[in-house]
Amino acid sequence: MSRPEDTLPPDLFYNDVESRKYTTSSRIRSIQASMTNRALELLDLQHSSFILDVGCGSGLSGEILTNTEEVDGGPHTWVGMDISSSMLSQALERDVEGDMLLADIGQGVPFRPGSFDAAISISAIQWLCNAESTSEEDAPDRRLKRFFDGLYASLKRGGKAVCQFYPKNAAQRSMISSAAIKAGFGAGILEDDPETKNVKLYLVLTVGGGDITGTVSGLQDVDVMDARRKERQRNGTPADKQKGSKAWIMRKKAQQEAKGKVVKNSSKYTGRKRKIAF
Amino acid sequence: MKLLTLNFLTCARKTCKSTAAAFPLHPKDAELEQIEIDMNPLFVKNMLPRLEWEAMKTLTQELGLPALPAETPAPEELTTEDGEASQVLKDLHVLLMETSVASGKLVCGNCGHEYAVKEGIANFLLPSHMV
């Protein structure tokens, strides 16, 4: 299936026709609703909050935020940002309760620091990876940086953001998550239905400390794969630094040889332990 | 756009980010409207410490609304003795949640850029040379 991200920039792709199709399709609505509910579950908000909806579109996700029951911590008040004016006019027609801005998230997030309790984004941030012009300012990494820096600043301390997104490939996925980490977020990716066609990725971000794996502790059927541990191992002592290892001996021999000293020939026995005599 | 949201919006330009004048944005030729919304006392109470009260006061002054008290209302003032919503809370709800800017312009105090508001939606798209 072709990706809309590959065809046109979002403000042109979601024209009046496409926006109406998107908003009225019952299939898309049910997928959006389930993803929004999942994101809310991950945010785990205890009381009614002030939420930023990034790429709010026609307010499908916002509607769910408004209608969250009191027992689940709702109802929430939200502010949406979207780049497609057609999508926003769909939202106006549907009379959603949140405020909306026509804005490009790749240009930053125009709110003062500590504005929001949480942020939510459904199927939006992969659009940031498309360069709309050849100018350096518009390069995907700059756009991602401006977005995540802005998002980090606008969330309050201890705030959380959950961004569901559709990366084109593994490179895009790591580009997005590393941009979030560079902005200062604690980041993790939750994968629903992994290795199926319907795989859904949620980038879970926290502002200010705490272990990101704690956010999924309340959920069932979630396996935690900690990439940090692997990283730490990788950053451990490299083979040729460990004194006495074969790689270390070979390095030292090469050093001595370079100095012009006489060095014994290397063989397959070099650096091997001697057999115990008995 | 609710006045609550206006209390958090700043100029989108990078050069304005670090200046104090970029917040709050000043409304110009603003048309207000009232939209009825269910009252959520807990939400108003939670948002109260996060509001910039000074900005709120300048905003109401510029919009020609009745003047606000000098200080942020204390949380105790929001409920009456028998636990009901007080007049202060009701006023705050009307001001923050129900009053909104339907159309007009928002002007940055630093760079003077005007953000147009139409049908309650502000246009924060910047031309690429201004990002």
Side-chain angles (χ1 to χ4, degrees):
Chain A
M1 209 172 78
S2 75
R3 287 170 57 84
E5 289 84 357
D6 293 340
T7 54
L8 278 173
D11 44 338
L12 300 178
F13 177 78
Y14 288 115
N15 55 17
D16 291 343
V17 179
E18 204 62 40
S19 298
R20 184 159 317 118
K21 242 198 275 177
Y22 193 93
T23 314
T24 48
S25 153
S26 60
R27 184 181 140 266
I28 289 179
R29 287 173 71 117
S30 81
I31 294 176
Q32 292 275 321
S34 69
M35 291 192 298
T36 311
N37 284 324
R38 181 65 161 168
L40 268 175
E41 198 181 345
L42 286 166
L43 286 175
D44 191 25
L45 298 164
Q46 299 302 327
H47 46 76
S48 15
S49 309
F50 195 40
I51 300 181
L52 177 68
D53 187 347
V54 179
C56 60
S58 48
L60 290 174
S61 45
E63 218 166 30
I64 292 172
L65 297 179
T66 310
N67 295 333
T68 308
E69 295 293 326
E70 210 161 314
V71 285
D72 301 325
H76 304 298
T77 305
W78 56 279
V79 178
M81 292 173 75
D82 206 283
I83 196 173
S84 158
S85 49
S86 308
M87 274 290 194
L88 292 177
S89 64
Q90 281 291 320
L92 281 182
E93 266 177 44
R94 285 157 22 84
D95 224 2
V96 294
E97 260 186 35
D99 277 337
M100 285 167 293
L101 301 183
L102 178 65
D104 181 1
I105 53 171
Q107 294 182 340
V109 181
F111 290 94
R112 65 178 167 87
S115 297
F116 296 101
D117 295 299
I120 190 172
S121 167
I122 305 296
S123 321
I125 56 174
Q126 72 274 5
W127 286 101
L128 282 170
C129 297
N130 296 18
E132 265 132 61
S133 72
T134 47
S135 91
E136 204 178 299
E137 280 296 309
D138 260 354
D141 54 331
R142 299 291 283 272
R143 290 167 58 75
L144 280 167
K145 181 180 181 329
R146 279 196 294 266
F147 167 63
F148 281 117
D149 285 353
L151 184 67
Y152 188 84
S154 66
L155 287 172
K156 70 167 192 190
R157 237 188 118 66
K160 260 193 257 176
V162 173
C163 308
Q164 183 277 325
F165 68 116
Y166 293 113
K168 186 177 181 179
N169 45 35
Q172 225 176 56
R173 171 177 157 158
S174 69
M175 179 162 82
I176 290 176
S177 53
S178 66
I181 291 167
K182 263 186 217 154
F185 283 110
I189 291 186
L190 176 82
E191 216 168 301
D192 273 353
D193 303 324
E195 282 155 40
T196 65
K197 208 174 70 179
N198 298 325
V199 60
K200 295 281 180 297
L201 292 179
Y202 298 84
L203 182 63
V204 186
L205 305 170
T206 56
V207 176
D211 191 1
I212 187 85
T213 51
T215 52
V216 292
S217 58
L219 306 179
Q220 289 180 338
D221 298 330
V222 176
D223 301 325
V224 174
M225 283 193 295
D226 202 333
R228 289 171 302 181
R229 202 171 303 148
K230 239 186 275 166
E231 194 104 314
R232 238 176 279 142
Q233 259 167 20
R234 230 180 289 138
N235 292 344
T237 339
D240 66 336
K241 287 276 166 58
Q242 200 160 16
K243 199 171 174 182
S245 69
K246 180 163 186 183
W248 180 82
I249 292 173
M250 297 307 283
R251 188 167 61 87
K252 284 292 178 190
K253 285 178 96 168
Q255 263 177 11
Q256 297 291 318
E257 203 165 20
K259 282 184 189 164
K261 299 213 168 132
V262 182
V263 176
K264 290 276 165 65
N265 291 336
S266 302
S267 71
K268 63 176 183 182
Y269 301 108
T270 307
R272 273 202 194 169
K273 265 220 167 104
R274 271 174 207 278
K275 243 189 204 155
I276 302 165
F278 279 97
Chain B
M1 164 158 325
K2 298 184 187 71
L3 297 196
L4 175 77
T5 314
L6 265 182
N7 196 264
F8 291 99
L9 269 177
T10 65
C11 182
R13 288 180 72 172
K14 202 183 170 191
T15 43
C16 290
K17 269 275 151 72
S18 49
T19 57
F23 175 82
L25 298 173
H26 305 285
K28 196 176 141 192
D29 312 326
E31 240 173 76
L32 297 181
E33 63 177 348
Q34 293 281 337
I35 305 165
E36 247 176 69
I37 291 180
D38 294 336
M39 184 149 77
N40 186 345
L42 192 62
F43 180 73
V44 176
K45 198 175 159 189
N46 289 339
M47 289 310 288
L48 212 49
R50 243 185 288 166
L51 288 178
E52 282 276 349
W53 197 250
E54 285 304 315
M56 212 62 229
K57 279 198 290 188
T58 34
L59 184 66
T60 47
Q61 200 187 349
E62 283 168 11
L63 289 172
L65 295 169
L68 292 173
E71 295 290 324
T72 320
E76 305 87 62
E77 290 176 49
L78 297 183
T79 44
T80 54
E81 272 160 28
D82 43 0
E84 292 290 305
S86 70
Q87 194 55 42
V88 180
L89 178 64
K90 280 178 194 157
D91 288 348
L92 271 174
H93 172 72
V94 171
L95 179 74
L96 295 173
M97 312 295 289
E98 295 193 338
T99 314
S100 60
V101 177
S103 66
K105 283 178 186 128
L106 299 172
V107 186
C108 169
N110 186 46
C111 65
H113 187 76
E114 292 182 348
Y115 299 96
V117 184
K118 276 180 206 151
E119 296 183 76
I121 295 180
N123 182 350
F124 271 76
L125 289 176
L126 292 172
S128 59
H129 66 276
M130 281 174 60
V131 172

